[in-house]
Amino acid sequence: MKKSSKLVIHILTSIGISCILVILLVMSIKTAYTTKYETDNAIDKLSHFYIEEIAKNRATLISDELVKKYNYVNNALSVISQKDLESPKSLRNYLGNMRKLYSADVVALVDENGLVYTSHSTFSGKTRYPFLAEKITKPIYSTVLNYGGEKHLFLAVPVSGVYFNNSKITSCFVEINIAQMMRSMTYHHDNMDTYFNLYYKNGESLTNSEFGNLPKGQNLFSLLTFSGEDAKKVKKLQNDFAEGLSGFTEISYGNESAHIFYLPVQNTGWILTILVYETAIDGQVSSSISSLMRHTRIHVFFTVALILLLFASVVLIIRSVSKLKIDQEKMISHKTKLAYEKLDKEQKAMHIIHSVLKSGPWYLEFDENGNAIKCEWTESFRELIGYMSESEFPNTMEACLEKIHPNDKEHVLKAFNDTVNDRTGKTLYDVQYKLLTKDRGYRWFHASGNVIRNADGTPQTFVGLFVDIDDIKRNEISLNEQFNIVNALSRDYANVLSINLTERTIKPIKLSNYVPKAFKEVDLEPASYDIFFAEYIQERVYTEDKGFMIKAIALDTVIQKLTQSDEYSSNYRIKDNGEVHFYEFKYMKLSDETVILGVMNIDKIVSDAKEKEKLIVLSETDRMTGLLNRVCGEIKVEDCLKRGEGGLFVLIDIDNFKAFNDTYGHDIGDQVIVSVANCLKAAFRENDIVFRLGGDEFSAYAPTVHDKKIARTIIKRFIENLKTIVIPELGENPVTASIGATIIPSGESAEFVQNYKLVDGALYKSKMISGSCVTFM
């Protein structure tokens, strides 16, 4: 037989065998896929049934527990007697007994004045418990964040027919340890972890409980969206939550997939959510089908082995002909792979470096005439300002320029153009400015770069680097402000002390004359603020002023006042060696935890105020401007609002005041404050309430002014008065102010704090516009 015939026979035989083996392989693979498909269906049905049954059971448990807590409160209120209401001590004993009986962390009564009575203390609760700000007419559940960020759940119910200290008890509330309830429901057994959590209909977590590998206490919808979950799936989840529907879905977070079942908890507006990881379910059911899968794998293995044996024979036949070509292709492929791997590693390394440094590169290309033709913002650049795609932040210069703060745009463009137009290449692009990010407002960034140029010096490519320096910049500004505050206080005040609000302690910075025993005993280490001010009032304060000072400088009063402004002061009298002296306590907020206290003798200010009536006037007057001080002004406005005497209410903030102080010194800054106070006084009527809040902030209240046109006339008069201020040291720099205003209707009592926040919001909007500006709310 000819060699050619034999070759044909070998080829046909090989093709026939190959076809048979391919058919066997296809059948084996189909069997494996069918087995996997049926297994997945069985797992899904089993997991759906398992999770749904657990969810219904746990939802019933939560509802029963809440009903039980509600019954506890009603039972506690039903057994309260007149004897329990005879004194604060008897009331605390009663509340302590109820707390122990029902194993609650907090059991409290609230009177019509907002005072909260617990087994340990009595305090104003509207700041600590925001749900008390509204009248409670039916049982409510509310969450409260403590100072550490932990979430606490409270049940509050209305109370009637109970009085204490001549005040009506309007509500009662208890703390529900919902986190402990969730932890007790979490199931751990042989890697089969089942997690539970409660969410509001908007996706906010009700607790800080562990919920798989999802971050604790965060919004479920935000987490899924941020992790790249399918938008349609997240939208359906949001709709089901909002409508109080139950349902089942699969999610991916991190590198793990999980099943989530959710259903509403009756009469609460909460959604109970159960999470079970897919790997846990797979592990539990895999043993029941392992035998079938093992046989399938063996069958596939032998089939693949036979096919490999056949192809090995074919390869041996053609190897001698194609060996050189294959080796060459392998070598090229290997080199290409190594090159791509190296490039990929370098790109990943640069991405990591930019992530750590919070930086992002960007590029701009020019044509032969020096005109910009192509701009590229890299992925890391977009991430710095909160954008994830080119569609959100296009590759154009305009996309960036329109987000630069108006005050910074001119000097940023000048620096950029100077760098591009300097053909010597010596001018480097190096600027700091504020840029509007997608979700975090304006932030500080440092931009730097240089130009790759052609031989003739014309620009070819601009290479820039963008770095987030917001934290550093804000810390720098904050430290400078704090240093100026402490330095100013040390210059003007004989005693300067630092208060830690979290630990409720006080520490001396500068002491002269009188040194409290609280510091002597601990060698000038931090002491309890409550002990310090109790001793100070007892030892130093004039008898007639003690009652006023006990309330005025109590730490809770100071904290409450500093939530409205960064400064708070109180004047009092002391008796020393038979002589009466006048002193001022001034509190200045440095941070959320730290307050600076300055104590100064103000005898010189009140030396002419010998008569009682003059002393009263002095206690109400701001010593720098002659206007009413903050305490007096706020009291007068509050009295008007309580009597239903509506009118024009304004807040005023001097623009760029810190720059005046830093550039021209505090003396010039004081002249600016006094001049603005005179302009304000001249713009309003004699019987209007005009007062200084502190620093560069003022306020005014004009009763009976209800016409917006008249209100604008008054404010315009003030703005025109500002233009008449002449301070030689300022040169051509004008003194302007940002103004927030509202008109409060007459006839009904109004809340001062609520209207103050409203006007403060208007003031904030005015500060976004340069020059004197007013915003009505």
Side-chain angles (χ1 to χ4, degrees):
M1 186 178 291
K2 295 182 179 180
K3 291 184 178 180
S4 59
S5 300
K6 290 182 179 180
L7 180 60
V8 171
I9 292 174
H10 287 309
I11 292 174
L12 292 175
T13 302
S14 299
I15 292 174
I17 294 174
S18 298
C19 290
I20 294 172
L21 293 177
V22 168
I23 292 171
L24 290 175
L25 177 61
V26 170
M27 292 178 64
S28 300
I29 294 174
K30 183 177 181 181
T31 301
Y33 276 113
T34 302
T35 302
K36 184 177 183 304
Y37 175 77
E38 294 298 332
T39 302
D40 290 341
N41 283 342
I43 292 174
D44 288 342
K45 292 178 181 179
L46 177 62
S47 61
H48 290 190
F49 175 77
Y50 165 76
I51 296 175
E52 183 174 359
E53 289 302 311
I54 290 180
K56 292 178 179 178
N57 176 267
R58 295 304 192 268
T60 302
L61 288 177
I62 293 173
S63 296
D64 292 345
E65 183 66 20
L66 296 178
V67 171
K68 184 168 66 174
K69 293 295 185 183
Y70 176 69
N71 292 334
Y72 284 169
V73 176
N74 285 336
N75 292 340
L77 292 173
S78 67
V79 299
I80 191 169
S81 65
Q82 191 59 38
K83 184 177 180 180
D84 297 324
L85 300 169
E86 287 179 350
S87 66
K89 181 177 180 181
S90 62
L91 181 60
R92 288 184 181 135
N93 289 337
Y94 161 77
L95 293 173
N97 292 334
M98 292 301 102
R99 187 170 67 86
K100 293 177 182 177
L101 177 62
Y102 297 123
S103 300
D105 290 338
V106 176
V107 177
L109 293 176
V110 185
D111 70 8
E112 58 189 344
N113 299 314
L115 287 178
V116 177
Y117 301 91
T118 69
S119 58
H120 298 296
S121 62
T122 301
F123 52 88
S124 177
K126 292 184 179 179
T127 301
R128 187 179 301 179
Y129 304 106
F131 60 85
L132 295 179
E134 301 294 335
K135 184 178 180 181
I136 297 175
T137 59
K138 62 180 181 179
I140 64 169
Y141 297 95
S142 180
T143 54
V144 175
L145 287 175
N146 67 7
Y147 292 120
E150 289 290 333
K151 294 181 178 179
H152 295 264
L153 177 67
F154 291 87
L155 165 63
V157 300
V159 177
S160 61
V162 179
Y163 292 83
F164 179 72
N165 277 354
N166 296 324
S167 295
K168 182 180 179 182
I169 300 300
T170 59
S171 59
C172 173
F173 66 86
V174 297
E175 182 176 356
I176 300 175
N177 197 335
I178 195 69
Q180 181 179 352
M181 191 186 305
M182 291 296 99
R183 287 193 295 270
S184 67
M185 291 182 182
T186 300
Y187 176 76
H188 303 279
H189 178 71
D190 293 340
N191 296 323
M192 186 64 173
D193 294 343
T194 305
Y195 299 92
F196 296 82
N197 201 6
L198 286 170
Y199 290 92
Y200 290 110
K201 290 186 178 182
N202 63 1
E204 288 296 333
S205 176
L206 189 63
T207 75
N208 282 337
S209 300
E210 180 181 9
F211 197 54
N213 67 349
L214 273 67
K216 298 179 181 179
Q218 296 193 23
N219 187 287
L220 179 62
F221 305 147
S222 299
L223 288 173
L224 295 181
T225 302
F226 183 76
S227 67
E229 189 61 75
D230 181 38
K232 293 182 179 179
K233 186 181 292 185
V234 176
K235 183 66 176 178
K236 182 181 183 303
L237 200 62
Q238 289 176 322
N239 292 337
D240 287 353
F241 271 43
E243 297 176 10
L245 303 177
S246 59
F248 185 91
T249 188
E250 296 180 6
I251 67 166
S252 295
Y253 189 85
N255 296 321
E256 296 185 279
S257 298
H259 299 274
I260 282 186
F261 185 83
Y262 49 90
L263 79 167
V265 179
Q266 187 175 5
N267 299 326
T268 64
W270 305 339
I271 305 297
L272 175 63
T273 309
I274 301 92
L275 181 144
V276 180
Y277 283 106
E278 191 174 90
T279 54
I281 298 176
D282 291 345
Q284 294 295 317
V285 300
S286 61
S287 60
S288 62
I289 60 170
S290 60
S291 178
L292 176 62
M293 295 300 296
R294 183 168 58 254
H295 287 296
T296 302
R297 286 194 294 269
I298 292 173
H299 181 73
V300 172
F301 172 77
F302 279 108
T303 301
V304 172
L306 289 173
I307 292 175
L308 290 176
L309 182 62
L310 173 64
F311 278 101
S313 300
V314 174
V315 169
L316 289 174
I317 294 174
I318 64 174
R319 185 175 181 181
S320 59
V321 178
S322 59
K323 185 177 183 302
L324 179 60
K325 184 177 180 180
I326 292 174
D327 289 343
Q328 291 175 342
E329 290 178 352
K330 284 184 177 179
M331 184 179 298
I332 295 172
S333 176
H334 179 68
K335 290 182 178 180
T336 303
K337 181 180 179 182
L338 291 177
Y340 275 108
E341 287 179 350
K342 182 179 179 181
L343 179 61
D344 185 58
K345 289 180 180 179
E346 290 175 350
Q347 290 178 339
K348 289 180 179 179
M350 287 303 298
H351 186 75
I352 292 172
I353 291 172
H354 288 309
S355 299
V356 172
L357 296 178
K358 292 185 178 180
S359 63
W362 57 278
Y363 310 96
L364 184 64
E365 295 184 5
F366 300 86
D367 61 16
E368 62 276 7
N369 298 320
N371 299 316
I373 56 173
K374 182 180 179 182
C375 177
E376 180 185 353
W377 310 113
T378 61
E379 179 182 346
S380 54
F381 178 96
R382 289 191 177 93
E383 289 176 356
L384 282 177
I385 54 178
Y387 294 97
M388 297 296 113
S389 65
E390 184 179 344
S391 61
E392 289 185 304
F393 194 88
N395 283 324
T396 64
M397 285 293 288
E398 290 74 16
C400 183
L401 289 175
E402 67 184 15
K403 299 187 184 306
I404 297 177
H405 194 282
N407 293 342
D408 296 331
K409 186 174 294 187
E410 183 178 349
H411 82 86
V412 170
L413 285 174
K414 182 180 184 303
F416 175 80
N417 291 328
D418 288 347
T419 303
V420 172
N421 296 329
D422 182 8
R423 296 197 174 193
T424 65
K426 294 180 180 180
T427 303
L428 301 180
Y429 180 64
D430 190 352
V431 290
Q432 296 180 4
Y433 57 91
K434 296 187 289 295
L435 190 78
L436 183 61
T437 62
K438 181 179 180 182
D439 300 316
R440 297 188 293 171
Y442 280 103
R443 291 181 64 83
W444 280 96
F445 293 92
H446 177 212
S448 59
N450 207 342
V451 180
I452 300 174
R453 300 182 180 277
N454 298 310
D456 60 355
T458 56
Q460 184 185 90
T461 304
F462 195 113
V463 180
L465 187 64
F466 194 66
V467 182
D468 187 330
I469 60 169
D470 192 74
D471 293 339
I472 298 173
K473 194 74 175 178
R474 293 186 188 278
N475 286 337
E476 177 185 319
I477 294 172
S478 177
L479 288 173
N480 287 335
E481 291 177 348
Q482 293 178 15
F483 174 78
N484 291 335
I485 290 172
V486 175
N487 187 49
L489 283 173
S490 298
R491 182 186 63 205
D492 298 332
Y493 289 80
N495 297 300
V496 182
L497 307 100
S498 173
I499 302 170
N500 187 306
L501 298 181
T502 303
E503 299 178 357
R504 298 181 72 90
T505 58
I506 185 166
K507 180 175 69 174
I509 296 175
K510 172 188 175 184
L511 288 178
S512 61
N513 300 326
Y514 176 74
V515 179
K517 295 178 182 177
F519 294 143
K520 293 178 180 177
E521 293 174 357
V522 293
D523 194 24
L524 299 185
E525 290 295 319
S528 166
Y529 180 88
D530 296 328
I531 295 175
F532 160 78
F533 99 83
E535 175 200 335
Y536 197 94
I537 291 174
Q538 181 64 31
E539 297 292 332
R540 299 280 286 170
V541 178
Y542 190 58
T543 303
E544 294 182 4
D545 290 352
K546 285 183 178 180
F548 162 74
M549 288 302 293
I550 287 174
K551 180 179 179 181
I553 65 172
L555 190 55
D556 290 332
T557 301
V558 174
I559 293 172
Q560 191 271 332
K561 292 294 184 182
L562 291 179
T563 59
Q564 303 171 9
S565 176
D566 290 339
E567 294 184 11
Y568 166 61
S569 61
S570 180
N571 300 333
Y572 63 97
R573 294 172 290 178
I574 70 166
K575 194 169 184 179
D576 189 12
N577 296 325
E579 296 181 354
V580 175
H581 298 279
F582 294 86
Y583 276 76
E584 178 186 54
F585 263 45
K586 185 166 187 177
Y587 297 85
M588 300 188 72
K589 184 176 181 181
L590 288 188
S591 66
D592 290 339
E593 292 186 353
T594 306
V595 171
I596 295 297
L597 165 62
V599 181
M600 179 172 66
N601 182 302
I602 56 173
D603 282 345
K604 184 177 180 181
I605 299 173
V606 299
S607 60
D608 296 329
K610 299 297 183 180
E611 299 176 4
K612 183 177 181 180
E613 290 77 12
K614 292 183 179 179
L615 295 178
I616 294 174
V617 171
L618 180 63
S619 67
E620 296 178 345
T621 303
D622 175 72
R623 63 191 183 89
M624 178 184 289
T625 63
L627 301 178
L628 295 177
N629 59 31
R630 180 179 191 135
V631 174
C632 178
E634 288 184 351
I635 291 174
K636 289 180 180 292
V637 175
E638 285 179 341
D639 289 342
C640 287
L641 295 180
K642 288 178 181 178
R643 294 194 299 267
E645 296 178 8
L648 170 64
F649 187 21
V650 300
L651 290 181
I652 298 163
D653 192 315
I654 301 174
D655 295 334
N656 304 314
F657 179 73
K658 183 178 181 300
F660 289 147
N661 267 341
D662 292 345
T663 305
Y664 305 105
H666 289 282
D667 291 340
I668 302 303
D670 291 348
Q671 289 185 44
V672 172
I673 289 176
V674 172
S675 299
V676 172
N678 292 335
C679 292
L680 188 61
K681 190 188 307 181
F684 282 79
R685 300 169 299 185
E686 185 175 354
N687 61 337
D688 291 337
I689 303 168
V690 181
F691 56 104
R692 182 187 178 198
L693 294 172
D696 60 332
E697 297 179 335
F698 300 83
S699 182
Y701 186 77
T704 71
V705 175
H706 301 110
D707 189 329
K708 198 170 185 179
K709 184 176 181 181
I710 296 175
R712 288 190 178 277
T713 299
I714 295 172
I715 295 173
K716 182 178 180 181
R717 186 161 58 234
F718 167 65
I719 294 174
E720 291 299 321
N721 290 346
L722 291 179
K723 297 177 181 178
T724 65
I725 295 176
V726 177
I727 300 176
E729 289 80 0
L730 297 183
E732 297 298 324
N733 295 322
V735 177
T736 61
S738 298
I739 307 164
T742 188
I743 296 178
I744 303 171
S746 293
E748 293 184 2
S749 177
E751 288 290 332
F752 174 83
V753 174
Q754 181 180 356
N755 283 284
Y756 185 97
K757 290 181 179 179
L758 181 69
V759 181
D760 191 53
L763 174 62
Y764 178 77
K765 291 183 178 180
S766 294
K767 291 182 72 66
M768 302 298 290
I769 302 172
S770 61
S772 294
C773 175
V774 59
T775 301
F776 274 83
M777 296 291 282

